[in-house]
Coordinates of all heavy atoms in Angstrom, one line a residue:
M51 N 30.4 -51.2 -46.3 CA 29.3 -50.4 -47.0 C 29.5 -50.5 -48.5 O 30.6 -50.5 -49.0 CB 29.4 -49.0 -46.6 CG 28.5 -48.1 -47.3 SD 28.7 -46.4 -46.7 CE 27.1 -46.0 -46.1
A52 N 28.4 -50.7 -49.2 CA 28.5 -50.9 -50.6 C 28.3 -49.5 -51.3 O 29.1 -49.0 -52.1 CB 27.5 -51.8 -51.1
L53 N 27.1 -48.9 -51.0 CA 26.8 -47.6 -51.6 C 26.7 -46.5 -50.6 O 26.4 -46.9 -49.4 CB 25.5 -47.7 -52.5 CG 25.5 -48.7 -53.6 CD1 24.2 -48.5 -54.4 CD2 26.7 -48.5 -54.5
K54 N 26.8 -45.3 -50.9 CA 26.6 -44.2 -50.0 C 25.9 -43.1 -50.6 O 26.0 -42.9 -51.9 CB 27.9 -43.8 -49.3 CG 28.8 -43.0 -50.2 CD 30.0 -42.5 -49.4 CE 30.9 -41.6 -50.2 NZ 32.1 -41.1 -49.5
I55 N 25.2 -42.3 -49.8 CA 24.4 -41.1 -50.3 C 25.2 -39.9 -49.9 O 25.6 -39.7 -48.8 CB 23.0 -41.1 -49.6 CG1 22.2 -42.4 -50.1 CG2 22.3 -39.8 -50.0 CD1 20.9 -42.5 -49.4
L56 N 25.4 -39.1 -50.9 CA 26.1 -37.8 -50.8 C 25.2 -36.7 -50.2 O 24.0 -36.8 -50.2 CB 26.7 -37.3 -52.1 CG 27.6 -38.3 -52.8 CD1 28.0 -37.8 -54.2 CD2 28.9 -38.6 -52.0
D57 N 25.9 -35.7 -49.6 CA 25.1 -34.6 -49.0 C 24.3 -33.7 -49.9 O 23.7 -32.8 -49.5 CB 25.9 -33.8 -48.0 CG 27.1 -33.1 -48.6 OD1 27.1 -33.1 -49.9 OD2 27.9 -32.6 -47.9
T58 N 24.4 -34.1 -51.2 CA 23.6 -33.4 -52.2 C 22.2 -34.0 -52.3 O 21.3 -33.5 -53.1 CB 24.2 -33.4 -53.6 OG1 24.7 -34.7 -53.9 CG2 25.4 -32.5 -53.6
C59 N 21.9 -35.0 -51.5 CA 20.6 -35.6 -51.4 C 19.6 -34.5 -51.0 O 19.8 -33.7 -50.2 CB 20.6 -36.7 -50.3 SG 19.0 -37.3 -49.8
V60 N 18.4 -34.5 -51.7 CA 17.4 -33.5 -51.5 C 16.2 -34.1 -50.7 O 15.1 -33.5 -50.7 CB 16.9 -32.9 -52.8 CG1 18.0 -32.1 -53.5 CG2 16.4 -33.9 -53.8
N61 N 16.4 -35.3 -50.1 CA 15.3 -35.9 -49.3 C 14.0 -36.0 -50.1 O 12.9 -35.7 -49.5 CB 15.1 -35.1 -48.0 CG 16.3 -35.2 -47.1 OD1 17.1 -36.1 -47.2 ND2 16.3 -34.3 -46.1
C62 N 14.1 -36.5 -51.3 CA 12.9 -36.6 -52.1 C 12.1 -37.8 -51.8 O 10.9 -38.0 -52.3 CB 13.2 -36.6 -53.6 SG 14.0 -38.1 -54.2
D63 N 12.6 -38.8 -51.1 CA 11.9 -40.0 -50.6 C 11.7 -41.1 -51.6 O 11.1 -42.1 -51.3 CB 10.5 -39.6 -50.1 CG 10.5 -38.5 -49.0 OD1 11.4 -38.5 -48.2 OD2 9.5 -37.8 -49.0
V64 N 12.2 -40.9 -52.8 CA 11.9 -42.0 -53.8 C 12.7 -43.2 -53.7 O 12.3 -44.3 -54.2 CB 11.9 -41.4 -55.3 CG1 10.9 -40.3 -55.5 CG2 13.3 -41.1 -55.7
C65 N 13.9 -43.1 -53.1 CA 14.8 -44.3 -53.1 C 14.4 -45.3 -52.0 O 14.5 -46.5 -52.2 CB 16.2 -43.9 -52.9 SG 16.5 -42.9 -51.4
E66 N 13.9 -44.8 -50.9 CA 13.6 -45.7 -49.8 C 12.6 -46.8 -50.1 O 12.9 -48.0 -49.8 CB 13.0 -44.8 -48.6 CG 12.9 -45.6 -47.3 CD 11.5 -46.1 -47.2 OE1 10.5 -45.6 -47.8 OE2 11.3 -47.1 -46.4
P67 N 11.5 -46.5 -50.8 CA 10.6 -47.6 -51.1 C 11.0 -48.6 -52.1 O 10.5 -49.7 -52.2 CB 9.3 -46.9 -51.5 CG 9.7 -45.6 -51.9 CD 10.9 -45.2 -51.1
V68 N 12.0 -48.3 -53.0 CA 12.4 -49.2 -54.0 C 13.5 -50.1 -53.5 O 13.9 -51.1 -54.2 CB 12.9 -48.5 -55.3 CG1 11.8 -47.6 -55.9 CG2 14.2 -47.7 -55.1
C69 N 14.1 -49.9 -52.4 CA 15.1 -50.8 -51.9 C 14.6 -52.1 -51.4 O 13.7 -52.2 -50.5 CB 15.9 -50.1 -50.7 SG 17.1 -51.2 -50.0
P70 N 15.0 -53.2 -52.0 CA 14.5 -54.6 -51.7 C 15.0 -55.1 -50.3 O 14.5 -56.1 -49.8 CB 15.0 -55.4 -52.8 CG 16.3 -54.8 -53.2 CD 16.1 -53.3 -53.1
N71 N 16.0 -54.4 -49.7 CA 16.5 -54.9 -48.5 C 16.2 -53.9 -47.3 O 16.8 -54.1 -46.2 CB 18.1 -55.0 -48.6 CG 18.4 -56.1 -49.6 OD1 17.8 -57.1 -49.6 ND2 19.5 -55.8 -50.4
Q72 N 15.4 -53.0 -47.5 CA 15.1 -52.0 -46.4 C 16.4 -51.4 -45.8 O 16.6 -51.3 -44.6 CB 14.2 -52.6 -45.3 CG 12.8 -53.0 -45.7 CD 12.8 -54.3 -46.4 OE1 13.3 -55.3 -46.0 NE2 12.1 -54.4 -47.6
A73 N 17.3 -51.1 -46.7 CA 18.6 -50.6 -46.3 C 18.6 -49.0 -46.2 O 19.6 -48.5 -45.7 CB 19.7 -51.0 -47.3
I74 N 17.6 -48.4 -46.7 CA 17.6 -46.9 -46.8 C 16.6 -46.3 -45.8 O 15.5 -46.8 -45.7 CB 17.2 -46.4 -48.2 CG1 18.2 -47.1 -49.3 CG2 17.3 -44.9 -48.3 CD1 17.8 -46.8 -50.7
A75 N 17.1 -45.3 -45.1 CA 16.2 -44.7 -44.1 C 16.6 -43.2 -44.0 O 17.8 -42.9 -44.2 CB 16.2 -45.4 -42.8
L76 N 15.7 -42.4 -43.6 CA 16.0 -41.0 -43.3 C 16.9 -40.9 -42.1 O 16.5 -41.3 -41.0 CB 14.7 -40.2 -43.2 CG 14.9 -38.6 -43.0 CD1 15.6 -38.0 -44.2 CD2 13.5 -38.0 -42.9
G77 N 18.0 -40.3 -42.2 CA 18.9 -40.0 -41.1 C 18.6 -38.7 -40.4 O 17.6 -38.1 -40.7
P78 N 19.5 -38.2 -39.6 CA 19.3 -36.9 -39.0 C 19.2 -35.7 -39.9 O 18.5 -34.8 -39.7 CB 20.6 -36.7 -38.1 CG 21.2 -38.1 -38.0 CD 20.8 -38.8 -39.2
V79 N 19.9 -35.8 -41.1 CA 19.8 -34.7 -42.0 C 19.3 -35.2 -43.4 O 18.5 -34.5 -44.0 CB 21.2 -34.1 -42.2 CG1 21.2 -32.9 -43.2 CG2 21.8 -33.6 -40.8
I80 N 19.9 -36.2 -43.9 CA 19.5 -36.7 -45.3 C 19.3 -38.2 -45.2 O 19.6 -38.9 -44.1 CB 20.7 -36.5 -46.3 CG1 22.0 -37.1 -45.8 CG2 20.8 -35.0 -46.6 CD1 23.1 -37.1 -46.9
Y81 N 18.9 -38.8 -46.3 CA 18.7 -40.3 -46.3 C 20.1 -41.0 -46.2 O 21.1 -40.4 -46.7 CB 18.0 -40.7 -47.6 CG 16.5 -40.7 -47.4 CD1 15.8 -39.5 -47.5 CD2 15.8 -41.8 -47.1 CE1 14.4 -39.4 -47.3 CE2 14.4 -41.8 -46.9 CZ 13.7 -40.6 -47.0 OH 12.4 -40.5 -46.8
E82 N 20.1 -42.1 -45.6 CA 21.3 -42.9 -45.4 C 21.1 -44.4 -45.7 O 20.0 -44.9 -45.7 CB 21.8 -42.8 -43.9 CG 22.1 -41.4 -43.5 CD 22.4 -41.3 -42.0 OE1 22.1 -42.2 -41.2 OE2 22.8 -40.2 -41.6
I83 N 22.2 -45.0 -46.1 CA 22.2 -46.4 -46.4 C 22.9 -47.2 -45.3 O 24.0 -46.9 -45.0 CB 22.9 -46.7 -47.8 CG1 22.1 -46.0 -48.9 CG2 23.0 -48.2 -48.1 CD1 22.8 -46.1 -50.3
A84 N 22.2 -48.2 -44.8 CA 22.7 -49.1 -43.8 C 23.7 -50.1 -44.4 O 23.2 -50.9 -45.2 CB 21.6 -49.8 -43.0
P85 N 25.0 -50.0 -44.2 CA 25.9 -50.9 -44.9 C 25.6 -52.4 -44.7 O 25.9 -53.2 -45.6 CB 27.3 -50.5 -44.4 CG 27.0 -49.8 -43.1 CD 25.6 -49.2 -43.2
H86 N 25.1 -52.8 -43.6 CA 24.9 -54.2 -43.3 C 23.7 -54.7 -44.0 O 23.4 -55.9 -44.0 CB 24.8 -54.4 -41.8 CG 23.6 -53.8 -41.1 ND1 23.6 -52.4 -40.9 CD2 22.5 -54.3 -40.7 CE1 22.4 -52.1 -40.3 NE2 21.7 -53.2 -40.2
R87 N 22.9 -53.9 -44.7 CA 21.7 -54.3 -45.4 C 21.8 -54.1 -46.9 O 21.0 -54.6 -47.7 CB 20.5 -53.7 -44.9 CG 20.1 -54.0 -43.4 CD 18.7 -53.6 -43.1 NE 17.7 -54.5 -43.8 CZ 17.3 -55.6 -43.4 NH1 17.7 -56.1 -42.2 NH2 16.4 -56.3 -44.1
C88 N 22.8 -53.3 -47.4 CA 22.9 -53.0 -48.8 C 23.7 -54.1 -49.5 O 24.8 -54.5 -49.1 CB 23.6 -51.7 -49.0 SG 23.8 -51.3 -50.8
T89 N 23.1 -54.7 -50.6 CA 23.8 -55.7 -51.4 C 24.0 -55.2 -52.8 O 24.3 -55.9 -53.7 CB 22.9 -57.0 -51.5 OG1 21.7 -56.6 -52.2 CG2 22.6 -57.6 -50.2
E90 N 23.9 -53.8 -53.0 CA 24.0 -53.2 -54.3 C 22.9 -53.9 -55.2 O 23.0 -53.9 -56.4 CB 25.4 -53.4 -55.0 CG 26.4 -52.6 -54.2 CD 27.8 -52.6 -54.9 OE1 27.8 -52.6 -56.2 OE2 28.8 -52.7 -54.2
C91 N 21.9 -54.4 -54.5 CA 20.7 -55.0 -55.2 C 21.1 -56.4 -55.7 O 20.2 -57.1 -56.4 CB 20.0 -54.2 -56.2 SG 19.0 -52.9 -55.5
V92 N 22.3 -56.9 -55.5 CA 22.6 -58.3 -55.9 C 21.6 -59.3 -55.3 O 21.3 -59.2 -54.1 CB 24.1 -58.6 -55.5 CG1 24.3 -60.1 -55.6 CG2 25.0 -57.8 -56.3
G93 N 21.1 -60.2 -56.1 CA 20.1 -61.1 -55.6 C 18.7 -60.7 -55.9 O 17.8 -61.6 -56.0
H94 N 18.5 -59.4 -56.2 CA 17.2 -59.0 -56.5 C 17.1 -58.4 -57.9 O 16.1 -58.7 -58.6 CB 16.8 -57.9 -55.5 CG 16.5 -58.4 -54.1 ND1 15.4 -59.0 -53.7 CD2 17.3 -58.3 -53.0 CE1 15.5 -59.3 -52.4 NE2 16.6 -58.9 -52.0
F95 N 18.0 -57.5 -58.2 CA 18.0 -56.8 -59.5 C 19.4 -56.7 -60.2 O 20.4 -56.9 -59.5 CB 17.5 -55.4 -59.3 CG 16.1 -55.3 -58.7 CD1 15.9 -55.0 -57.4 CD2 14.9 -55.5 -59.5 CE1 14.6 -54.9 -56.8 CE2 13.7 -55.4 -59.0 CZ 13.5 -55.1 -57.6
D96 N 19.4 -56.5 -61.5 CA 20.7 -56.4 -62.2 C 21.4 -55.1 -61.8 O 22.6 -55.0 -62.0 CB 20.4 -56.4 -63.7 CG 20.0 -57.8 -64.1 OD1 20.2 -58.8 -63.4 OD2 19.4 -57.9 -65.2
V97 N 20.7 -54.0 -61.5 CA 21.3 -52.8 -61.2 C 20.8 -52.2 -59.9 O 19.6 -52.5 -59.6 CB 21.1 -51.7 -62.3 CG1 21.9 -52.2 -63.6 CG2 19.7 -51.5 -62.6
P98 N 21.6 -51.4 -59.2 CA 21.1 -50.8 -57.9 C 19.8 -49.9 -58.2 O 19.9 -49.0 -59.0 CB 22.2 -50.0 -57.4 CG 23.4 -50.6 -58.0 CD 23.0 -51.1 -59.4
Q99 N 18.7 -50.3 -57.6 CA 17.5 -49.6 -57.8 C 17.5 -48.1 -57.3 O 16.9 -47.2 -57.9 CB 16.3 -50.3 -57.2 CG 16.1 -51.7 -57.7 CD 15.8 -51.7 -59.2 OE1 14.7 -51.3 -59.6 NE2 16.8 -52.1 -60.0
C100 N 18.2 -47.9 -56.2 CA 18.2 -46.5 -55.7 C 18.9 -45.6 -56.7 O 18.5 -44.4 -56.9 CB 18.9 -46.5 -54.3 SG 20.5 -47.3 -54.2
I101 N 20.0 -46.1 -57.3 CA 20.7 -45.2 -58.2 C 19.8 -44.9 -59.4 O 19.8 -43.8 -60.0 CB 22.1 -45.9 -58.7 CG1 23.0 -45.9 -57.5 CG2 22.7 -45.2 -59.9 CD1 24.4 -46.6 -57.8
E102 N 19.1 -46.0 -59.8 CA 18.2 -45.8 -61.0 C 17.2 -44.7 -60.8 O 16.8 -44.0 -61.7 CB 17.4 -47.1 -61.2 CG 18.3 -48.2 -61.8 CD 18.5 -48.0 -63.3 OE1 17.6 -48.2 -64.1 OE2 19.7 -47.7 -63.6
V103 N 16.6 -44.6 -59.6 CA 15.5 -43.6 -59.3 C 16.0 -42.2 -58.8 O 15.2 -41.3 -58.9 CB 14.5 -44.2 -58.4 CG1 13.9 -45.5 -59.0 CG2 15.0 -44.4 -57.0
C104 N 17.2 -42.1 -58.3 CA 17.6 -40.9 -57.7 C 17.7 -39.7 -58.7 O 18.4 -39.8 -59.7 CB 19.0 -41.0 -57.0 SG 19.5 -39.5 -56.2
P105 N 16.9 -38.7 -58.5 CA 16.8 -37.6 -59.5 C 18.1 -36.7 -59.5 O 18.3 -35.9 -60.5 CB 15.6 -36.8 -59.1 CG 15.5 -37.0 -57.7 CD 16.0 -38.4 -57.4
V106 N 18.9 -36.8 -58.5 CA 20.0 -35.8 -58.5 C 21.4 -36.6 -58.5 O 22.4 -36.0 -58.3 CB 19.9 -34.9 -57.2 CG1 18.8 -34.0 -57.3 CG2 19.9 -35.7 -55.9
E107 N 21.3 -37.9 -58.7 CA 22.5 -38.7 -58.9 C 23.5 -38.5 -57.7 O 24.7 -38.3 -57.9 CB 23.2 -38.4 -60.2 CG 22.3 -38.7 -61.4 CD 22.9 -38.4 -62.8 OE1 24.1 -38.1 -62.8 OE2 22.2 -38.6 -63.8
C108 N 22.9 -38.7 -56.5 CA 23.8 -38.5 -55.3 C 24.1 -39.8 -54.6 O 24.6 -39.7 -53.5 CB 23.1 -37.5 -54.4 SG 21.7 -38.2 -53.6
I109 N 23.9 -40.9 -55.3 CA 24.2 -42.2 -54.7 C 25.3 -42.8 -55.4 O 25.3 -43.0 -56.7 CB 23.0 -43.2 -54.7 CG1 21.8 -42.5 -54.0 CG2 23.3 -44.5 -53.9 CD1 20.5 -43.3 -54.1
I110 N 26.4 -43.1 -54.7 CA 27.6 -43.6 -55.4 C 28.2 -44.8 -54.7 O 27.8 -45.1 -53.6 CB 28.7 -42.5 -55.4 CG1 29.2 -42.2 -54.0 CG2 28.3 -41.3 -56.2 CD1 30.5 -41.4 -53.9
V111 N 29.1 -45.5 -55.4 CA 29.8 -46.6 -54.8 C 30.8 -46.0 -53.9 O 31.5 -45.1 -54.3 CB 30.4 -47.5 -55.8 CG1 31.3 -48.6 -55.2 CG2 29.4 -48.2 -56.7
D112 N 30.9 -46.5 -52.7 CA 31.9 -46.0 -51.7 C 33.2 -46.7 -52.0 O 33.4 -47.8 -51.7 CB 31.4 -46.3 -50.3 CG 32.3 -45.7 -49.2 OD1 33.4 -45.2 -49.6 OD2 31.9 -45.7 -48.1
A113 N 34.1 -45.9 -52.5 CA 35.4 -46.4 -53.0 C 36.2 -47.0 -51.8 O 37.1 -47.8 -52.0 CB 36.2 -45.4 -53.7
L114 N 35.9 -46.6 -50.6 CA 36.6 -47.1 -49.4 C 36.1 -48.4 -48.9 O 36.7 -49.1 -48.1 CB 36.5 -46.1 -48.2 CG 37.2 -44.8 -48.5 CD1 37.0 -43.8 -47.3 CD2 38.7 -45.0 -48.7
H115 N 34.9 -48.8 -49.5 CA 34.3 -50.1 -49.0 C 33.8 -50.9 -50.2 O 32.7 -51.3 -50.2 CB 33.1 -49.8 -48.1 CG 33.6 -49.1 -46.8 ND1 33.6 -47.7 -46.7 CD2 34.0 -49.6 -45.6 CE1 34.0 -47.4 -45.5 NE2 34.3 -48.5 -44.8
V116 N 34.7 -51.1 -51.1 CA 34.3 -51.9 -52.3 C 34.2 -53.4 -51.8 O 35.0 -53.9 -51.1 CB 35.4 -51.8 -53.4 CG1 35.1 -52.8 -54.5 CG2 35.4 -50.4 -53.9
E117 N 33.1 -54.0 -52.3 CA 32.8 -55.4 -52.0 C 32.7 -56.2 -53.2 O 32.2 -55.7 -54.3 CB 31.6 -55.6 -51.1 CG 31.7 -54.9 -49.7 CD 30.5 -54.8 -49.0 OE1 29.5 -54.2 -49.4 OE2 30.4 -55.5 -47.9
T118 N 33.1 -57.5 -53.2 CA 32.9 -58.4 -54.3 C 31.5 -58.8 -54.5 O 30.7 -58.8 -53.5 CB 33.8 -59.6 -54.2 OG1 33.3 -60.4 -53.1 CG2 35.3 -59.3 -54.0
R119 N 31.2 -59.3 -55.7 CA 29.8 -59.9 -55.9 C 29.5 -61.0 -55.0 O 28.4 -61.2 -54.5 CB 29.7 -60.3 -57.4 CG 28.3 -60.8 -57.7 CD 28.1 -61.1 -59.2 NE 26.8 -61.6 -59.4 CZ 25.7 -60.9 -59.6 NH1 25.8 -59.6 -59.5 NH2 24.5 -61.5 -59.7
E120 N 30.6 -61.8 -54.7 CA 30.4 -63.0 -53.8 C 30.0 -62.5 -52.4 O 29.1 -63.0 -51.7 CB 31.7 -63.8 -53.7 CG 31.9 -64.7 -54.9 CD 32.2 -63.9 -56.2 OE1 32.9 -62.8 -56.1 OE2 31.9 -64.3 -57.3
Q121 N 30.7 -61.4 -51.9 CA 30.4 -60.9 -50.6 C 28.9 -60.4 -50.5 O 28.2 -60.5 -49.6 CB 31.4 -59.7 -50.2 CG 32.8 -60.2 -49.9 CD 33.7 -59.0 -49.7 OE1 33.8 -58.2 -50.6 NE2 34.3 -59.0 -48.5
L122 N 28.6 -59.7 -51.6 CA 27.2 -59.1 -51.7 C 26.2 -60.2 -51.8 O 25.1 -60.1 -51.1 CB 27.1 -58.2 -52.9 CG 28.0 -56.9 -52.8 CD1 28.0 -56.2 -54.2 CD2 27.5 -56.0 -51.7
L123 N 26.5 -61.3 -52.5 CA 25.6 -62.4 -52.6 C 25.4 -63.1 -51.2 O 24.3 -63.5 -50.8 CB 26.0 -63.4 -53.7 CG 25.0 -64.4 -54.2 CD1 23.8 -63.7 -54.7 CD2 25.7 -65.2 -55.3
D124 N 26.5 -63.2 -50.5 CA 26.5 -63.8 -49.2 C 25.5 -63.0 -48.3 O 24.8 -63.5 -47.5 CB 27.9 -63.9 -48.5 CG 28.7 -65.0 -49.1 OD1 28.1 -65.9 -49.8 OD2 29.9 -65.0 -48.9
R125 N 25.6 -61.7 -48.4 CA 24.8 -60.8 -47.6 C 23.3 -61.0 -48.0 O 22.4 -61.1 -47.1 CB 25.2 -59.4 -47.7 CG 24.3 -58.4 -46.8 CD 24.9 -57.0 -46.8 NE 26.2 -57.0 -46.4 CZ 27.2 -56.3 -47.0 NH1 26.9 -55.5 -48.0 NH2 28.4 -56.3 -46.5
Y126 N 23.1 -61.1 -49.3 CA 21.7 -61.3 -49.7 C 21.1 -62.6 -49.1 O 20.0 -62.6 -48.6 CB 21.7 -61.4 -51.3 CG 20.5 -62.0 -51.8 CD1 19.2 -61.4 -51.8 CD2 20.6 -63.4 -52.3 CE1 18.1 -62.1 -52.3 CE2 19.5 -64.0 -52.8 CZ 18.2 -63.4 -52.8 OH 17.1 -64.0 -53.3
L127 N 21.9 -63.7 -49.2 CA 21.5 -64.9 -48.6 C 21.2 -64.8 -47.1 O 20.3 -65.4 -46.6 CB 22.5 -66.0 -48.9 CG 22.6 -66.4 -50.4 CD1 23.8 -67.3 -50.7 CD2 21.3 -67.0 -51.0
A128 N 22.1 -64.2 -46.4 CA 22.0 -64.0 -45.0 C 20.7 -63.2 -44.6 O 20.0 -63.6 -43.7 CB 23.2 -63.3 -44.4
L129 N 20.5 -62.2 -45.4 CA 19.3 -61.4 -45.2 C 18.0 -62.2 -45.5 O 17.0 -62.1 -44.8 CB 19.3 -60.1 -46.1 CG 20.3 -59.0 -45.6 CD1 20.4 -58.0 -46.7 CD2 19.9 -58.4 -44.3
S130 N 18.1 -63.0 -46.5 CA 16.9 -63.8 -46.9 C 16.6 -64.8 -45.8 O 15.4 -65.0 -45.4 CB 17.2 -64.6 -48.2 OG 17.4 -63.7 -49.3
V131 N 17.6 -65.4 -45.2 CA 17.4 -66.4 -44.1 C 16.8 -65.6 -42.9 O 15.9 -66.1 -42.3 CB 18.8 -67.0 -43.7 CG1 18.6 -67.8 -42.4 CG2 19.2 -68.0 -44.8
G132 N 17.3 -64.4 -42.6 CA 16.8 -63.6 -41.5 C 15.3 -63.3 -41.8 O 14.5 -63.4 -40.8
N133 N 14.9 -63.0 -43.0 CA 13.5 -62.7 -43.3 C 12.7 -63.9 -43.1 O 11.5 -63.8 -42.6 CB 13.4 -62.2 -44.7 CG 14.0 -60.8 -44.9 OD1 14.2 -60.1 -43.9 ND2 14.3 -60.4 -46.1
E134 N 13.2 -65.1 -43.5 CA 12.4 -66.3 -43.3 C 12.2 -66.6 -41.8 O 11.1 -67.0 -41.4 CB 13.1 -67.5 -44.0 CG 13.0 -67.5 -45.5 CD 11.6 -67.4 -46.0 OE1 10.7 -68.2 -45.5 OE2 11.3 -66.6 -46.9
V135 N 13.2 -66.4 -41.0 CA 13.1 -66.7 -39.6 C 12.1 -65.7 -39.0 O 11.3 -66.1 -38.2 CB 14.5 -66.5 -38.9 CG1 14.4 -66.5 -37.4 CG2 15.5 -67.6 -39.3
A136 N 12.2 -64.4 -39.4 CA 11.2 -63.4 -38.9 C 9.8 -63.8 -39.2 O 8.9 -63.7 -38.4 CB 11.6 -62.1 -39.4
K137 N 9.6 -64.3 -40.5 CA 8.3 -64.7 -40.9 C 7.8 -65.9 -40.0 O 6.6 -65.9 -39.6 CB 8.3 -65.2 -42.4 CG 7.9 -64.1 -43.4 CD 7.7 -64.8 -44.7 CE 8.6 -64.1 -45.8 NZ 8.7 -64.8 -47.0
D138 N 8.7 -66.9 -39.8 CA 8.3 -68.0 -39.0 C 7.9 -67.6 -37.6 O 6.9 -68.1 -37.0 CB 9.4 -69.0 -38.9 CG 9.6 -69.8 -40.2 OD1 8.7 -69.7 -41.1 OD2 10.7 -70.4 -40.4
K139 N 8.6 -66.6 -37.0 CA 8.3 -66.2 -35.7 C 6.9 -65.5 -35.6 O 6.2 -65.5 -34.6 CB 9.4 -65.2 -35.2 CG 10.6 -65.8 -34.6 CD 11.6 -64.8 -34.1 CE 12.9 -65.4 -33.6 NZ 13.9 -64.4 -33.4
N140 N 6.6 -64.8 -36.7 CA 5.3 -64.1 -36.7 C 4.1 -65.0 -37.1 O 3.0 -64.6 -37.1 CB 5.4 -62.9 -37.7 CG 6.4 -61.9 -37.2 OD1 6.5 -61.7 -36.0 ND2 7.0 -61.2 -38.1
A141 N 4.4 -66.2 -37.6 CA 3.4 -67.1 -38.0 C 2.5 -67.6 -36.9 O 2.9 -67.6 -35.8 CB 4.0 -68.3 -38.8
Ligands
SF4_344 FE1 19.0 -50.8 -51.4 FE2 19.9 -51.8 -53.7 FE3 20.3 -49.2 -53.1 FE4 21.6 -51.1 -51.7 S1 21.8 -50.6 -53.9 S2 20.6 -49.3 -50.8 S3 20.1 -52.8 -51.7 S4 18.3 -50.2 -53.5
SF4_345 FE1 18.1 -38.5 -51.6 FE2 18.4 -39.4 -54.1 FE3 17.1 -40.9 -52.2 FE4 16.0 -38.7 -53.2 S1 16.5 -40.6 -54.3 S2 16.1 -39.2 -51.0 S3 17.8 -37.4 -53.5 S4 19.3 -40.3 -52.2

């Protein structure tokens, strides 16, 4: 996991649509980040978009799951390939 949402989240809904990887979704109580889809926005933007828009600053780097830029870039590439395959299947 790259980033995580703290329980101070107020479910304002603004982070979910700005995520380029569809990594954010409403969980049972608050919004959650799917670790297998979050690249800290590497490959798309210079800074994490969810952190930029969160009005209560409740999204942080998970110190227990720090990942290198190379690992995040690999995930971005894997997700991109997956998106292309999905597009081809739907064509
Ligand atoms: Fe999505 Fe970027 Fe936030 Fe990760 S850092 S959850 S990829 S917006
Ligand atoms: Fe929660 Fe922040 Fe996302 Fe709003 S922007 S839903 S407060 S994590």
